């Protein structure tokens, strides 16, 4: 669906003169737009390919897989407004913007009304979601220049290269932090294990010392009891021997007989 509004003024004696002096403005409104040949959902494939890279990220290195992911399928936009002005035999559109859940676009361009040549630029900024990187956006810039019926296409990946480079840097930094955290956790666990083992060893030493003390106490008690038994036996023996050695008193004949 589309609608076009246009206001134009021109004066001249010939069509060429009227074209050269034409001035005006207008707006083209498009809804439920589908742009064939541009994949609006290309970012996941781009990120997967970038993650698989073993070399440094550069515009030359990423160009093949970005182009493969980007050029194909279709880009769906709910609405697109194209305000434009006409002056000097040229139609120019600035500040064109639109968005869908996957990306946002901004564009500008001009069309020569004399030779039907175009000069246009479209920035496609994908929405990275959880892959957001501070300081860079996953943006690709498409350009079309030349004859309107067969323009030459260009692809500028400067911003996408910066985004992927920063993303890789952040990934490497996070991996380093995770590895460092794991090392620190292992060291903490080893220290804690060492302290636990030391506490267990101390506890075992104290338990063994208590057992030794109890054993020594029982041994001392047994020795004292044995000494007491021997002393008691010796005392009884001495008493018995003393009784044996003591003579019986002589009989008392003065005791009256009853």
């Amino acid at each position: 669906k589309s609608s076009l509004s246009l206001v134009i003024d021109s004066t001249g004696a010939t069509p060429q003169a009227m074209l050269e002096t034409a001035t005006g403005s207008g707006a083209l409104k498009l809804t439920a737009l589908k742009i064939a040949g541009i994949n609006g959902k290309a970012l996941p494939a781009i990120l997967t390919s970038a993650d698989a890279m073993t070399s440094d990220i550069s515009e030359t290195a990423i160009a093949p897989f970005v182009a493969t992911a980007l050029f194909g399928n279709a880009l769906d936009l709910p609405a697109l407004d194209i305000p434009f002005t006409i002056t000097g035999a040229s139609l120019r559109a600035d500040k064109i913007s639109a968005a869908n859940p996957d990306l946002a676009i901004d564009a500008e361009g001009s069309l020569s009304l004399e030779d039907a040549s175009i000069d246009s630029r479209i920035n496609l900024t994908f929405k990275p979601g959880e892959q957001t990187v501070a300081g860079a956006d996953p943006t690709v810039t498409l350009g079309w220049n030349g004859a309107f019926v067969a323009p030459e296409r260009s692809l500028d990946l400067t911003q996408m290269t910066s985004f992927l480079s920063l993303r890789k840097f952040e990934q490497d930094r996070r991996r380093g932090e995770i590895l460092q955290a794991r090392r620190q956790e292992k060291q903490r666990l080893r220290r804690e294990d060492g302290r636990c083992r030391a506490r267990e060893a101390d506890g075992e030493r104290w338990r063994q010392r208590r057992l030794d003390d109890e054993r020594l106490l029982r041994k001392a008690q047994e020795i004292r009891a044995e000494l007491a038994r021997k002393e008691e036996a010796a005392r009884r023996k001495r008493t018995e021997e003393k009784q044996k050695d003591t003579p019986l008193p002589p009989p008392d004949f003065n005791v009256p007989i009853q």
Side-chain angles (χ1 to χ4, degrees), residues 21-57:
T21 60
T23 60
S25 63
L28 175 62
K29 296 182 181 295
L30 304 171
T31 58
L33 180 64
K34 182 181 289 290
I35 302 176
I38 298 178
N39 183 9
K41 301 180 182 294
L43 185 60
I46 293 172
L47 297 182
T48 299
S49 297
D51 289 340
M53 291 181 64
T54 57
S55 60
D56 292 337
I57 291 177

Side-chain angles (χ1 to χ4, degrees), residues 73 81 89 93 109 142 162 174 212:
N73 211 326
D81 294 339
L142 297 173
S162 297
R174 285 196 293 270
D212 291 342

Side-chain angles (χ1 to χ4, degrees), residues 19 23 28 44 54 63 75 89 118-119 138 150 154 160 167 184 251 258:
L19 182 63
T23 60
L28 175 62
T54 57
L75 169 60
I118 64 170
D119 181 8
S154 62
M160 179 62 79
R167 178 174 173 270
Q184 291 176 348
Q258 300 292 333

